[in-house]
Amino acid sequence: MIPPAFDYTRPATVDEAVRTLADAGEEAKVLAGGQSLLPLMRLRLAFPELVVDVGRIAELRGVREDGGTLVIGAMTTHHDVIHDPLVRRHAALLASATATVADPAVRHRGTLGGSLAHADPAADLPAVVLALDGELVAQGPGGRRTIPAREFFVDYLQSALAPDELLVEVRVPKADGWGFHYEKFHRVAQAYAIVGVAALVRRDDGHIAEARIGLTNMGSTPVRASAAEEALTGAGDAGAVRQATEAAAEGTHPSQDMSASPEYREHLARVLTRRAVLTAAGMG
């Protein structure tokens, strides 16, 4: 389908983009890589009066260190996240999971910030940033504010961003020394995950000292498997991990659609969490 008519602007700086959004109000949409917004517009599920293309703003790209944190520009493409040496060294879970997103064409155009701002619970990267205890930095007319990932995803396709705010950075603590794995189940290659699991595991003296688990497509937002995280503390063998990960679906509210029932998604969450944790912990 052809989208309805809209106005288009391409600001050169973040400040210009924020002013444009503030002037337009709720009638504007930000265009990053276009891999989420353009399909919605073609299906007439989104019909902005103004599209604000931030694709040429250089300050929104790149990766840098800030002490114990990696700072990733919101317009950094999936391809660049996968291959960036800082990400691969200090946040390898993010690089590994990003490599499973869609196909090479999408990974070359799609952006980390665009995926997160779209707030689709079936997308891979929101659950990953949630597991990494990441933070998202938004800039609006009043300046910048930092939003913890656990507060950023509000509901299905809804984030904490105000209409006049632009996502500018993603901050993730360095995860040096943590084991990691992203496990997902989907019907066909390139499709969204029916369920996905992002696991980070820190071991001490042969036992799991801490686990972080983000779940993809287990509710209207990405969620942490808090009950399983708690149960995994102290687990020292595969049997203990299997028992602890039975709690992976507790507190979740998976949907029913053509791909799966809620009960099947709960089953997948338990199975995939067990696989992801065993791999991350080196017990698989």
Side-chain angles (χ1 to χ4, degrees):
M1 293 179 63
I2 299 174
F6 58 89
D7 292 327
Y8 171 89
T9 185
R10 192 172 68 189
T13 67
V14 170
D15 288 341
E16 183 184 348
V18 169
R19 287 195 300 270
T20 301
L21 291 172
D23 291 342
E26 296 186 359
E27 304 307 321
K29 288 289 186 182
V30 173
L31 176 67
Q35 305 307 296
S36 300
L37 178 61
L38 295 183
L40 290 180
M41 292 174 63
R42 287 176 62 84
L43 292 170
R44 300 206 174 200
L45 297 175
F47 29 87
E49 293 184 6
L50 175 66
V51 171
V52 182
D53 183 352
V54 297
R56 299 292 180 89
I57 303 179
E59 62 189 292
L60 292 178
R61 297 183 183 273
V63 182
R64 61 181 174 86
E65 295 177 273
D66 182 11
T69 301
L70 285 187
V71 183
I72 307 171
M75 281 296 299
T76 305
T77 65
H78 300 320
H79 175 271
D80 288 346
V81 167
I82 294 166
H83 295 284
D84 186 88
L86 289 175
V87 177
R88 294 170 72 92
R89 184 180 309 127
H90 300 298
L93 172 63
L94 179 59
S96 176
T98 304
T100 74
V101 172
D103 55 34
V106 169
R107 293 194 291 270
H108 275 80
R109 290 291 303 169
T111 65
L112 174 60
S115 177
L116 299 177
H118 188 53
D120 190 337
D124 300 295
L125 302 185
V128 173
V129 172
L130 188 64
L132 286 165
D133 279 342
E135 296 177 327
L136 297 95
V137 180
Q139 182 167 329
R144 293 192 173 193
R145 67 183 180 113
T146 300
I147 310 165
R150 63 182 178 275
E151 299 174 8
F152 184 80
F153 305 103
V154 176
D155 204 343
Y156 181 71
L157 300 184
Q158 296 181 33
S159 76
L161 288 172
D164 58 0
E165 287 184 316
L166 180 68
L167 179 61
V168 294
E169 292 178 353
V170 181
R171 301 175 63 91
V172 294
K174 293 179 180 178
D176 300 349
W178 289 68
F180 64 91
H181 188 65
Y182 185 66
E183 185 86 21
K184 72 177 180 180
F185 182 81
H186 48 187
R187 292 184 297 110
V188 295
Q190 306 171 11
Y192 279 103
I194 295 175
V195 173
V197 177
L200 283 164
V201 174
R202 181 174 60 83
R203 297 185 69 183
D204 183 27
D205 195 25
H207 293 74
I208 294 177
E210 185 178 356
R212 301 181 196 161
I213 302 166
L215 300 179
T216 295
N217 216 359
M218 286 297 291
S220 61
T221 66
V223 294
R224 288 278 286 267
S226 301
E229 291 177 347
E230 183 177 349
L232 282 164
T233 302
D237 56 40
V241 169
R242 291 188 180 94
Q243 183 175 355
T245 54
E246 285 298 303
E250 289 186 12
T252 63
H253 302 282
S255 62
Q256 175 158 343
D257 54 30
M258 293 186 296
S259 298
S261 66
E263 293 77 17
Y264 184 51
R265 283 196 163 91
E266 290 173 359
H267 166 72
L268 284 174
R270 292 188 289 269
V271 172
L272 299 181
T273 300
R274 180 176 72 245
R275 293 178 184 173
V277 171
L278 286 172
T279 301
M283 300 177 184

